[in-house]
Amino acid sequence: MPEVFTLAQTPVTAHSFSADRSQLAVSLNSNDAQILTRQGLEWVPTVTLSEHDKLITSIDWAPNSNRIVTCSQDRNAYVWQEQPDLETGKLVWKPTLVLLRINRAATHVRWSPREDKFAVASGARAIAICSFDPENNWWVSKLLKKPIRSTVLSVDWHPNNVLLAAGSADMKARVFSAYIKEVDERPAPTAWGSKLPFNTVCGEYSSPAGGWVHTVGFSPSGDVLAFASHDSSISIVYPNGPVIHNIRMPSLPIVSLSWTSEDTIVAAGHDCRPFVFSGSEGGWQEAGTLDDTTSPRSAEPRSGFGPSNSVGRLRTSAFATFRDADSRGQSAIAGSASPTADTKLLTIHQNTITDVRPYEYSGSNVIKVSTSGVDGMLVIWDVNAVVALTGRLGGAHLM
């Protein structure tokens, strides 16, 4: 069974785990990032990272250097690191400035595999590749600009620390060289090319029916690229041919994906459940879903913040009905068994899944993934528990 946690009554914009999975950094649809610590079956807030002025759009926690990078609609990014406080001596999270040089919102951020660079996507039709300047004690950026024509929605690094995939609202997925002479060693030739000066476009691929490219991802070897777009399609690219496999889905669009092995992808989005795709260069297909909508649901999801705080007379059914109608848009139907029967989806997630991240590895393969969404939930899935798709609209009641 998946592990289900309700972190908040507000959307979880982004999440990222520490290396040992004992801590979790989340953006709860605000300009603060929260660090939660796992205590038994709950996630307890322990630290608030406050520096941004507007909504935090993306978070990434570097597993080896233990640094957190956040980016925001305020056009800024900060790198957070635990350092001893000068007065108390205790470890506290302190931010380091990043000179992004963008004039629109930052939308997505990811550390490079060696954690000496990170990439920040933005609405300024540019991607900032940031590296540390020890002389001034800040992070400086070089901008990938051409030939991006619209907001960049997602980025993902190649294992060689140089190539970067990007999906944008100009309906293209691209592979760039983000080689920085002062930081990177000369990369070995790959399937994407051998001469890789900064801003070289190593590949450009269009969405099959002209949808925004929401998410991109390199396979573990880096030799295959997957991207999903708003036309409810997912595409897998083998650059040597190039061979491109397009899977058109009858469900709602995917907004986030994660490779779990060289031949398997877990992806999720507006359909409220994670899909599994499998294949090879010969062909790809939808293998099923991790959310079994036919099985009986267990008890209510565990709250990340302890038991409900409604007490005494406020626990009446009338109060609960008005509260749910106000905060969640849920209303009772006359004669229904439950006041939320008309709006309760069959899936575990009750709204769009915004983020899919690897959670647990076995060798080079991912065996568990985590998802977070607009419903405020965090769910940890076993990627081997794939069930066949029974109803195409698994998240809805079919009348």
Side-chain angles (χ1 to χ4, degrees):
M1 286 290 291
E3 294 182 72
V4 184
F5 305 93
T6 298
L7 299 182
Q9 295 299 321
T10 54
V12 179
T13 311
H15 78 279
S16 187
F17 284 94
S18 61
D20 62 0
R21 304 301 187 255
S22 65
Q23 291 181 298
L24 170 68
V26 294
S27 165
L28 299 178
N29 207 41
S30 73
N31 59 341
D32 292 334
Q34 303 269 356
I35 295 180
L36 313 179
T37 301
R38 185 158 186 173
Q39 295 182 3
L41 301 178
E42 294 178 357
W43 290 96
V44 179
T46 51
V47 181
T48 299
L49 307 180
S50 302
E51 199 70 32
H52 289 285
D53 297 328
K54 292 186 178 178
L55 176 75
I56 292 176
T57 52
S58 188
I59 297 175
D60 201 25
W61 197 326
N64 300 318
S65 58
N66 198 39
R67 292 183 296 217
I68 298 172
V69 60
T70 58
C71 70
S72 163
Q73 291 177 356
D74 63 7
R75 311 187 301 277
N76 289 321
Y78 290 97
V79 175
W80 303 81
Q81 196 162 9
E82 276 190 309
Q83 296 173 349
D85 186 85
L86 295 176
E87 295 179 0
T88 63
K90 292 182 179 179
L91 286 175
V92 293
W93 288 93
K94 293 188 176 179
T96 305
L97 181 66
V98 182
L99 299 179
L100 280 186
R101 299 189 298 126
I102 58 175
N103 59 5
R104 295 290 186 275
T107 55
H108 201 245
V109 64
R110 285 293 180 268
W111 283 104
S112 68
R114 292 181 194 157
E115 301 175 10
D116 52 3
K117 301 186 293 186
F118 58 87
V120 181
S122 76
R125 298 187 299 178
I127 305 166
I129 308 299
C130 304
S131 57
F132 190 64
D133 177 4
E135 289 184 13
N136 296 302
N137 192 35
W138 58 31
W139 293 77
V140 294
S141 65
K142 288 183 74 172
L143 297 182
L144 294 168
K145 286 187 173 181
K146 294 181 179 179
I148 302 168
R149 303 300 305 156
S150 189
T151 299
V152 182
L153 299 173
S154 65
V155 291
D156 190 55
W157 287 94
H158 188 280
N160 72 356
N161 209 67
V162 170
L163 295 174
L164 182 77
S168 58
D170 60 6
M171 300 170 284
K172 304 279 189 187
R174 299 180 178 90
V175 177
F176 293 98
S177 169
Y179 176 76
I180 297 178
K181 194 174 178 181
E182 299 77 23
V183 177
D184 294 309
E185 301 169 3
R186 187 177 177 84
T190 69
W192 303 96
S194 53
K195 292 186 177 181
L196 301 172
F198 189 81
N199 212 151
T200 301
V201 180
C202 305
E204 182 176 281
Y205 310 97
S206 296
S207 165
W212 291 6
V213 178
H214 285 295
T215 178
V216 292
F218 279 113
S219 67
S221 70
D223 293 340
V224 192
L225 175 72
F227 65 91
S229 46
H230 202 68
D231 56 3
S232 293
S233 72
I234 182 168
S235 303
I236 296 91
V237 179
Y238 292 83
N240 287 329
V243 177
I244 304 175
H245 298 290
N246 296 318
I247 302 174
R248 300 296 299 276
M249 302 171 61
S251 56
L252 298 174
I254 288 166
V255 297
S256 184
L257 66 81
S258 177
W259 289 79
T260 56
S261 66
E262 197 63 27
D263 55 7
T264 312
I265 296 168
V266 175
H270 293 289
D271 213 51
C272 309
R273 57 180 174 168
F275 295 105
V276 180
F277 301 89
S278 62
S280 63
E281 194 165 355
W284 278 75
Q285 65 281 327
E286 209 171 339
T289 177
L290 300 180
D291 192 345
D292 185 1
T293 56
T294 61
S295 66
R297 286 279 168 254
S298 57
E300 285 297 304
R302 295 189 282 261
S303 167
F305 298 123
S308 170
N309 58 5
S310 57
V311 292
R313 62 188 181 84
L314 295 184
R315 292 182 68 96
T316 63
S317 59
F319 176 82
T321 301
F322 283 112
R323 181 195 60 206
D324 290 344
D326 175 52
S327 63
R328 303 184 189 180
Q330 294 175 341
S331 60
I333 294 179
S336 66
S338 164
T340 60
D342 61 328
T343 55
K344 181 83 171 172
L345 301 184
L346 300 175
T347 51
I348 291 177
H349 274 288
Q350 294 296 295
N351 209 323
T352 300
I353 296 172
T354 54
D355 214 2
V356 180
R357 303 296 294 264
Y359 179 78
E360 187 177 323
Y361 290 85
S362 175
S364 61
N365 291 346
V366 177
I367 57 173
K368 288 185 179 180
V369 296
S370 60
T371 59
S372 61
V374 179
D375 54 4
M377 284 187 187
L378 171 78
V379 184
I380 298 169
W381 310 85
D382 180 353
V383 300
N384 296 314
V386 182
V387 294
L389 290 162
T390 50
R392 294 305 317 177
L393 294 173
H397 291 277
L398 299 179
M399 303 302 287

